[in-house]
Amino acid sequence: MLAYAVRFKVDEIILFYPNTISQNQENETSLSIKDALADNKEILIRAFQLPIIKRELLSSPLNEKPSLGELFESTKQDLKKRIEEIFIPMFD
């Protein structure tokens, strides 16, 4: 990952990872790395957790047979909102 950043002259890497069944992290995690083999180029790595898992499905029985679209509509909206929260400030 760092080699590609140096090769393509990128100074920021953004990582996305899904939420888990037991953990949800709203804040970003970031770290800065200085690559000694690339003239101490500093690369910022930012990691964000995205709402992929719909936890409600794991704790409640399904009484009906809804379509997948209906079942995951709220998760889809939460995911869109989270991605907007991450990217929109970058372009302001």
Side-chain angles (χ1 to χ4, degrees):
M1 173 176 49
L2 291 175
Y4 284 109
V6 171
R7 167 80 169 92
F8 293 105
K9 298 178 175 52
V10 172
D11 60 1
E12 183 177 10
I13 298 170
I14 298 175
L15 303 175
F16 295 115
Y17 59 98
N19 59 343
T20 63
I21 294 171
S22 61
Q23 184 182 19
N24 189 28
Q25 182 177 343
E26 294 293 325
N27 299 326
E28 78 175 81
T29 301
S30 64
L31 65 113
S32 182
I33 296 176
K34 284 190 177 182
D35 190 338
L37 298 175
D39 296 325
N40 287 324
K41 179 178 175 71
E42 191 168 334
I43 299 169
L44 176 63
I45 300 174
R46 298 169 61 202
F48 296 91
Q49 190 175 55
L50 298 178
I52 303 295
I53 297 173
K54 184 171 182 169
R55 291 187 182 98
E56 296 83 26
L57 289 178
L58 303 172
S59 61
S60 62
L62 290 177
N63 296 329
E64 304 174 13
K65 292 185 179 181
S67 71
L68 285 177
E70 293 171 349
L71 200 57
F72 289 99
E73 182 62 30
S74 65
T75 305
K76 177 181 165 184
Q77 295 305 321
D78 291 344
L79 179 59
K80 283 182 177 181
K81 180 181 173 192
R82 181 70 176 131
I83 291 172
E84 287 174 355
E85 290 171 356
I86 293 167
F87 282 111
I88 289 177
M90 291 181 192
F91 298 109
D92 285 345

